[in-house]
Each structure stands twice: as C-alpha cells, then as structure tokens.
Amino acid sequence: MDFKEYVIDKISAVTELPKEQVKNAVEIPPDEKMGDLAFPCFPLAKVMRKAPPLIAKDLAEKLKDDAVFERVEQAGGYLNFFFNKGEFIKETVDAVIKSNGNWGRSDIGSGKTVLLDYSSPNIAKPFHIGHLFSTALGNSLAKIYKYLGYDVQSLNHIGDWGTQFGKLICAYHRWGDAEVIDKDPINELLKIYVKFHDEAKKNPELEDEAREYFKKLEDGDSEATALWQHFRDISLREFKRVYDMLGVEFDSYNGEAFYSDKMQEVVDILREKNLLVESEGAKVVDLSDMNIPPCIILKSDGATIYATRDIAAALYRHRTYNFDKNIYVVGTPQALHFKQIFAVMERAGWEWSKGCEHVGFGLVKLPGKSMSTRNGDVVFLEDVLNEAIEKTRAVIEENDTVKENRDEVAKKIGIGAILYTFLKNSREKDIIFSWDTMLDFEGESAPYCQYSYARGRSILRRAEGIDYKNADLSNITDADAYSLVKQLGAFDNAILSAANKNEPFYINRYVTDLAKLFNKFYNTNPILKDDVDDETKRARLKIVDATCSVIKSALMLLGIETVESM
Ligand code: ARG
C-alpha cells in the first residue's frame, strides 16, 4: 500500500476536493515531530467560510479512528498525519521486496523520447576533465530517465569538424610522426596541435595554410579526408577505452562532421525566412530584441561554425527521433551559445525546439593544478581514473578486508568515487577535486555508500538458511527502523526531483542519507546476536535486504556499481 496515496484518498473523500488538488497540496513536514505528512487547510478557508485551524480540527476528528494512522492532529491550519509505524514499516518493506530490485521504477515516460547529448569531447583539441563531468551527469540522467520509462538516446556529439582540423593536418605534415601518434594519439595529436599554436605566433602564414587544409577537407579532398578519418578513428578508440572503464555507452557517435552536409538546408531555411542579415561580411541572425548577441551562421569566408552545425543537428534529431526532450549536458560557459541557437530555432518557427534544453555544470578545480587547455598542462581523463583506482587499491591493501578480486573491487570503488564527486552537489556549483574527500570511507563518498551495501550483504550472507522473506514486520516500531524505512519510501520522490530538474544530486543526497540511516539502524538494532529472538531477527533481516536492494538501485542510477564485500 502506498501511504501517501491513502492519505490523499482519505482527505479527498472527507473534503470532497479533487484528488489532484489534494495531491499537490500534501507536504512532507520539515520536522518528524510534525508528522509524516501534512495537509495545509488554508486554501479551504474561503470555500468553507471557516478559519483554517477549525477546518483542520474538524478533519482530524473525522479521520482519527483510521487504523492506518497512529494519530491525526490539528496544528494551526495544518492537519498532521502520523502513520501507524508497524503498519507503515510492514507495508513499505513488503513492497520493496516485492519490487525485486525495481523499487521506484515507473512508466511515466513511456512513449516519450529523451535525447541526451553528453561527453562530446573534441578531436585535436584538448580533452579534459570537464568532459568527464558531462559524462558523469549525462550517464546518470540517461539511467534516471530510463528508470522512469522514457526511451533514451545517448548521443556523443564529437567535436570532429572545424578549422582546428586544418591546423591539425598542417601540423601533421610538418611535425607529425605516424608511428608515435598511433601509439598515443590523444597526447601526440594534442602536442602537435599546441606546437601549431606556438609556431603560428611566430609565423602567421601557418594560419593561412591551415585554412587551406580545412577548405580541402570541406571540399572532400581524398588525402585530407583520409587523414581526418584516421585522426578520428584513433581518437575514438582512446575515448572508448575511458568509456569502458566508466561503464558508459552511447547510441550514436555522430559528431559535428556528420552534419557538415546538412547545413546548407539550414542556411536556406533561414535565408528564406529573411532571418539572415549581413554583419561585417558574415551572415548572422539578429536577436537584439531578445537581448541576445547575434548568432553567426556563416563566417565572412562563407564557412559554417559550431552554432550552424548544432542547429543542423537539432533539426536532424527532430526528424530522426521526434524527441520530447533534447538535452545538452555541456558546461555553463556555453550557456550563451545554447541561448543563441535555441532563439534562432524559435525564430525559424520550429515548435519542437521548445523541447531543447541546456543542462549546464560548473568548473572542475584541481587543487594546485591549472586546468588551462592551451599550454598543454592538461589533466587527462584516463590518468585521473587510473589514479583513483590505484589509490583505492592502496587503501584496500592496507585495510586487508577484501580477500578476493581486489582489482575489480578497487576499480568499482575508485571509479565510483569519481562519479560520486561529480554528482554530489547541484551541478552548477564548481567542484574542487580532492582525493581525501573522494576516498574517505567514512565521509560522504561513494565508498561510504558502497561499504554500507557490502556490510548489509555480509549480514545477509551470514544469515544464510534463515527464511526471512515472509517475516511479519508489524511489530517493529523502533524509531531508527522507522526513519530508515521512511527513507526507503521516499525513493520515488528523489528520482522524480532528479528528472524534473536534471539534477542527479537528488539521488546522490538520497542514497547518502539512506546509508547513514542504515548504519544507525544496524548499530541500534542488533541482528544476528544470540539474544535476539527469531521473530525479530527475521524482521530485521528483511529490512536489511530491502535496504541493500534500494542502495544498489540508487547507486546504479548514478552509474556507480556495488561490491559484495569490501
Ligand atoms: N565538443 C564541445 C566541447 O567540448 C561540446 C559539444 C556539446 N554538444 C553540442 N551539441 N554542442 O566544448
């Protein structure tokens, strides 16, 4: 039984208000002392011509004999519901166990398509930790939307087109060594790309040469195309290694190049709608009446840019997927870019563009290290991941509690620690990367949540042979058990908030609190001790089982794996 639904039904029956209205009004009180749910009676005062406290008092009187409630109280204009603890625990834990690892799953998204554009690193340009932030967020959002029944498409809009390819080809011809690049493509391509910038400062003609090469590429020159293809292939191979480590998968790797032949149509449409104006030789869409700087569509040399490719991509996505939402998980420094392209699409009269949304995130700061991308002092994703795994491995060696599969455990914990860090705060906040906080097994961290899960699983393993699945929990009324089970009941709320705001941190917060409540519960409720009677033992084991399954689902939604012992 869903207690919230039950309360809504009851209120709606006695007040004759429509259920929807009651549902929107019912609140979770800020303090447990005010009950488990509250109904504010203020909006009723007008219709009923009565003071809210009197209304609340009347309603409390009418509902007080219901066995589902321990009591129903009037406090000011509020009607506060206190659930019958035993009933609540029993019903909720039974429902969690029955869901079989699918607690909180729903089908509200069924029939709707959500596109998530995330990670989207660039070839030739530095590929940095900001892309890892995008990957962590996008991957989690993909899992959240899927859990809610949406059809989700994960799109990796690789930066594989643009003038930097001219620079790269130019640099390659001058300083490139095929063998060296093949061995370590990302570093080596970056090296020659950085060298290009250094050299071009002294010798500006290089810029012209690079433009020539890009022109060749745009015209389909076979040598330039073959090089481009090669750079793309070897870079993608490297990116995929990182994605494998993270357990991230994409449905499409169509990058900017994919849209290079789809831009003329956009230019034609905008021209036809009289939206293109001339500005210093370039063709732009004027957005001054919306207080937005003009969006450049064609540069003065006729070349298209990032924005044009994004507009072509949005149109293509609309036609291909007929999306309900098209979400771009990209750092907040690009907020203006998205504002501009969304405005252009609105101008073009594309109704569907209302489904486009920029989901921004803050900067990642590494203590003591600059994150600048031009001078080559870049921190690479793979190095960061490997460092996390190595550090975890060292902790595991020291603790000596993990006996088997140390490599696998270190990997799941190390990677989990990183993902957790990105999803710990509201996404627009900047992040300071600190190994100590990330790998603090007792703080707010992935290892802490993973440890709580492993601890629960170890209790269940030790209880092998005890049949607890049918245990009756109606006699469990302990306060810590109650707080823990209440948290289990709140999972769907956390998932919905995360999806509504595109903020996985709601789930991060949720699972961290759940782990804390679980720790408190098993510290005050001994489980396998000899002096615990069988009935209580079975009931507590059932709560442990339900909790483990919800911790696992919640971590899964963050992209974090669990381990059975640590
Ligand atoms: N490649 C871009 C960058 O690294 C991000 C692309 C985001 N996606 C998009 N459709 N614009 O800054």
Side-chain angles (χ1 to χ4, degrees):
M1 182 175 80
D2 183 326
F3 274 63
K4 192 171 171 186
E5 285 297 324
Y6 188 83
V7 168
I8 293 166
D9 281 350
K10 285 286 156 180
I11 300 175
S12 155
V14 292
T15 58
E16 289 174 21
L17 287 175
K19 266 193 208 172
E20 258 326 286
Q21 193 180 333
V22 177
K23 193 174 185 166
N24 289 331
V26 167
E27 305 171 352
I28 297 179
D31 185 334
E32 275 194 7
K33 287 190 207 88
M34 298 157 141
D36 299 301
L37 279 180
F39 178 68
C41 298
F42 309 97
L44 286 175
K46 228 185 184 161
V47 211
M48 297 174 84
R49 293 165 181 280
K50 227 159 123 182
L54 284 181
I55 302 174
K57 201 161 175 228
D58 268 5
L59 294 177
E61 188 57 34
K62 284 189 182 135
L63 291 165
K64 76 174 195 311
D65 293 328
D66 194 318
V68 167
F69 308 127
E70 188 185 275
R71 54 188 205 279
V72 184
E73 277 177 5
Q74 169 254 328
Y78 285 91
L79 185 61
N80 292 341
F81 293 85
F82 295 79
F83 298 155
N84 177 321
K85 293 191 173 58
E87 279 301 303
F88 179 80
I89 292 174
K90 170 177 171 319
E91 294 286 345
T92 308
V93 173
D94 276 348
V96 173
I97 299 274
K98 226 169 101 194
S99 77
N100 211 354
N102 291 294
W103 187 238
R105 200 183 269 281
S106 104
D107 56 7
I108 57 162
S110 116
K112 295 192 192 117
T113 300
V114 173
L115 307 184
L116 284 158
D117 176 325
Y118 63 96
S119 195
S120 309
N122 305 313
I123 292 166
K125 274 202 217 156
F127 163 178
H128 54 76
I129 206 159
H131 294 116
L132 188 55
F133 199 163
S134 168
T135 310
L137 276 169
N139 181 48
S140 173
L141 289 173
K143 291 190 188 313
I144 291 166
Y145 279 109
K146 277 185 195 159
Y147 211 65
L148 294 176
Y150 289 88
D151 175 16
V152 176
Q153 297 288 322
S154 292
L155 312 178
N156 198 331
H157 189 80
I158 301 275
D160 58 2
W161 204 247
T163 43
Q164 77 265 27
F165 279 88
K167 296 177 184 171
L168 195 63
I169 293 172
C170 171
Y172 181 79
H173 279 307
R174 286 173 180 258
W175 315 292
D177 178 335
E179 227 171 274
V180 177
I181 292 181
D182 231 38
K183 281 210 188 91
D184 189 7
I186 299 192
N187 276 311
E188 291 303 323
L189 289 179
L190 173 61
K191 243 187 227 165
I192 61 170
Y193 183 72
V194 170
K195 189 172 167 87
F196 176 89
H197 283 276
D198 291 341
E199 296 291 325
K201 267 184 228 145
K202 292 174 255 164
N203 178 7
E205 272 145 50
L206 281 180
E207 296 280 0
D208 297 328
E209 201 179 311
R211 247 190 301 279
E212 273 303 300
Y213 276 120
F214 184 55
K215 181 92 184 55
K216 276 191 176 171
L217 192 56
E218 283 194 302
D219 294 342
D221 171 84
S222 64
E223 197 224 327
T225 306
L227 268 181
W228 168 83
Q229 186 69 48
H230 181 61
F231 295 154
R232 188 183 198 272
D233 288 349
I234 54 178
S235 302
L236 228 55
R237 199 176 67 208
E238 301 288 297
F239 297 167
K240 281 187 182 160
R241 240 196 2 248
V242 172
Y243 296 140
D244 280 348
M245 286 174 87
L246 294 168
V248 172
E249 280 175 30
F250 291 94
D251 299 296
S252 161
Y253 282 91
N254 284 344
E256 294 184 46
F258 180 78
Y259 302 101
S260 59
D261 64 355
K262 297 173 181 57
M263 286 183 286
Q264 189 54 48
E265 187 189 356
V266 169
V267 175
D268 291 344
I269 294 174
L270 297 178
R271 187 170 284 137
E272 222 167 82
K273 302 202 176 198
N274 282 325
L275 292 170
L276 283 190
V277 296
E278 185 94 21
S279 168
E280 293 167 34
K283 298 272 188 295
V284 309
V285 176
D286 176 55
L287 303 166
S288 54
D289 57 334
M290 294 167 97
N291 246 328
I292 304 174
C295 182
I296 303 176
I297 300 295
L298 290 172
K299 289 200 291 189
S300 53
D301 60 2
T304 57
I305 60 163
Y306 184 51
T308 331
R309 291 190 278 279
D310 251 335
I311 297 169
L315 181 59
Y316 173 85
R317 288 175 188 177
H318 161 65
R319 288 173 179 160
T320 309
Y321 304 104
N322 193 20
F323 59 76
D324 293 273
K325 286 188 190 192
N326 175 27
I327 295 172
Y328 299 86
V329 186
V330 185
T332 39
Q334 290 193 33
L336 177 61
H337 161 75
F338 287 106
K339 234 185 184 171
Q340 289 175 308
I341 63 164
F342 296 163
V344 171
M345 295 194 270
E346 194 188 318
R347 278 290 150 83
W350 297 344
E351 259 311 295
W352 51 264
S353 71
K354 288 200 173 64
C356 295
E357 193 179 337
H358 173 217
V359 167
F361 54 83
L363 300 172
V364 186
K365 295 180 181 160
L366 294 159
K369 266 188 201 165
S370 109
M371 290 296 295
S372 144
T373 51
R374 270 289 154 82
N375 55 17
D377 179 21
V378 182
V379 180
F380 290 95
L381 278 93
E382 203 172 359
D383 295 345
V384 175
L385 299 182
N386 281 325
E387 195 170 342
I389 296 170
E390 271 160 38
K391 285 196 187 315
T392 308
R393 173 92 206 198
V395 178
I396 289 177
E397 299 288 341
E398 200 183 305
N399 292 353
D400 200 29
T401 47
V402 177
K403 301 296 174 201
E404 287 162 37
N405 307 328
R406 285 193 172 180
D407 285 335
E408 198 191 312
V409 172
K411 188 176 158 212
K412 287 185 178 171
I413 298 174
I415 301 270
I418 292 199
L419 293 173
Y420 182 99
T421 303
F422 286 114
L423 309 174
K424 189 173 174 176
N425 296 307
S426 119
R427 56 184 155 73
E428 290 189 359
K429 264 198 177 163
D430 292 348
I431 290 183
I432 297 174
F433 234 68
S434 144
W435 291 116
D436 289 345
T437 318
M438 273 161 67
L439 294 174
D440 180 0
F441 282 43
E442 272 139 45
E444 298 193 338
S445 66
Y448 173 75
C449 300
Q450 288 165 316
Y451 177 75
S452 305
Y453 173 84
R455 177 77 195 259
R457 297 295 295 171
S458 121
I459 295 171
L460 295 174
R461 273 197 302 278
R462 279 187 282 133
E464 216 187 68
I466 304 180
D467 177 16
Y468 58 79
K469 294 266 178 185
N470 294 316
D472 178 8
L473 288 102
S474 40
N475 292 325
I476 301 277
T477 53
D478 164 78
D480 291 332
Y482 187 59
S483 304
L484 172 63
V485 176
K486 251 175 83 173
Q487 181 72 354
L488 293 179
F491 190 32
D492 57 348
N493 247 320
I495 304 171
L496 288 175
S497 303
N500 285 339
K501 305 214 163 79
N502 291 309
E503 279 282 24
F505 106 89
Y506 282 101
I507 289 170
N508 191 308
R509 194 64 267 153
Y510 172 85
V511 70
T512 309
D513 288 343
L514 180 59
K516 283 186 193 165
L517 291 165
F518 183 43
N519 280 306
K520 184 137 189 259
F521 165 76
Y522 66 63
N523 280 324
T524 54
N525 287 262
I527 299 168
L528 295 176
K529 295 242 168 71
D530 288 342
D531 55 352
V532 181
D533 67 82
D534 277 358
E535 185 71 36
T536 309
K537 201 175 269 178
R538 298 209 335 260
R540 289 178 183 167
L541 282 168
K542 193 166 169 179
I543 296 177
V544 172
D545 192 0
T547 307
C548 282
S549 104
V550 179
I551 295 179
K552 191 181 173 87
S553 299
L555 287 176
M556 180 279 287
L557 292 180
L558 299 173
I560 300 172
E561 292 190 82
T562 45
V563 295
E564 292 300 309
S565 59
M566 68 183 263

